[in-house]
Amino acid sequence: MTRRQRGGRPRRLPVRFPRMPGRRRPRGLPGLLVVVLLAIAVFYGRWPAPPRPDPDLHAPGAYRVERVIDGDTLLLANGLRVRLIGADAPETVHPEHDVEPWGPEATAFTERFVAGGEVELTFDGQRTDRYGRLLAYVWVDGRMLNEELIRAGLATAETHYRFSEAVKLRFEAAESEARLAGRGIWAE
């Protein structure tokens, strides 16, 4: 069905569908899309659920430690690695570095600290580092491993990262205490 417009080009006439009594017909592609989506929702009996975050990455709570990698890194039983927020222990397993002084002692300290295997993780700001490790505070019986490692002189306080200012002050105080006492890396 076409008619000629001025200029000689054919013009298409709209196709009219019969109207059903009591129902309004959606107009155009957006209306058709709405009808299709509603039909799918009715067919499945619910709207699609929003994606849920991975609970291992976002839920503070109790976790089982598989093993200690080095003084400031743990491997959890679920396969995730945890890096202590704000504490930097000497290296023991870095592929491009030799074992650093006090590194084995830091690793042994962390192994003793988490000896029971159960730890509590809490998060503060960024959840993972550039290597995909969880960034967390590690707690055992109400004591924070991050802070105790620094207080023992087996890690330095790394306060230039983004995390709680109150915790940064705790870490700086722990490092000052270790320096004054000449513990670990501060021994001379």
Side-chain angles (χ1 to χ4, degrees):
M1 263 175 147
T2 62
R3 283 194 190 158
R4 295 258 174 214
Q5 292 180 332
R6 289 183 213 171
R9 293 191 343 214
R11 179 178 73 135
R12 294 187 60 84
L13 294 175
V15 177
R16 302 215 182 249
F17 294 100
R19 225 179 127 108
M20 296 178 70
R23 289 228 157 129
R24 191 170 155 209
R25 171 175 54 87
R27 303 247 180 221
L29 186 60
L32 180 63
L33 184 61
V34 168
V35 169
V36 169
L37 290 175
L38 284 173
I40 291 171
V42 168
F43 179 75
Y44 285 106
R46 61 177 170 80
W47 292 99
R52 294 186 342 182
D54 183 352
D56 291 333
L57 294 178
H58 298 284
Y63 291 85
R64 183 120 185 100
V65 175
E66 180 74 23
R67 71 182 174 92
V68 172
I69 294 172
D70 67 6
D72 55 22
T73 310
L74 308 172
L75 178 66
L76 300 179
N78 63 9
L80 294 174
R81 289 176 184 245
V82 175
R83 174 68 166 78
L84 303 181
I85 296 173
D88 186 26
E91 296 296 336
T92 59
V93 294
H94 196 285
E96 298 173 11
H97 299 286
D98 291 335
V99 173
E100 295 178 342
W102 295 98
E105 290 83 354
T107 302
F109 181 92
T110 300
E111 287 171 343
R112 283 190 308 275
F113 199 91
V114 301
E118 287 289 323
V119 297
E120 187 85 16
L121 299 184
T122 57
F123 303 99
D124 186 359
Q126 184 177 340
R127 296 289 172 108
T128 57
D129 66 6
R130 63 183 174 175
Y131 303 109
R133 299 176 296 189
L134 289 177
L135 298 172
Y137 301 121
V138 176
W139 299 85
V140 176
D141 297 328
R143 294 174 48 221
M144 186 193 317
L145 172 59
N146 316 45
E147 182 178 23
E148 296 301 325
L149 195 62
I150 294 168
R151 180 171 285 113
L154 298 172
T156 57
E158 296 295 322
T159 57
H160 58 278
Y161 293 105
R162 289 186 185 172
F163 60 95
S164 166
E165 291 299 321
V167 175
K168 287 180 183 182
L169 291 174
R170 287 175 63 171
F171 288 177
E172 289 169 350
E175 184 174 281
S176 292
E177 182 183 322
R179 279 179 191 240
L180 289 172
R183 293 186 201 123
I185 59 177
W186 309 113
E188 293 182 334

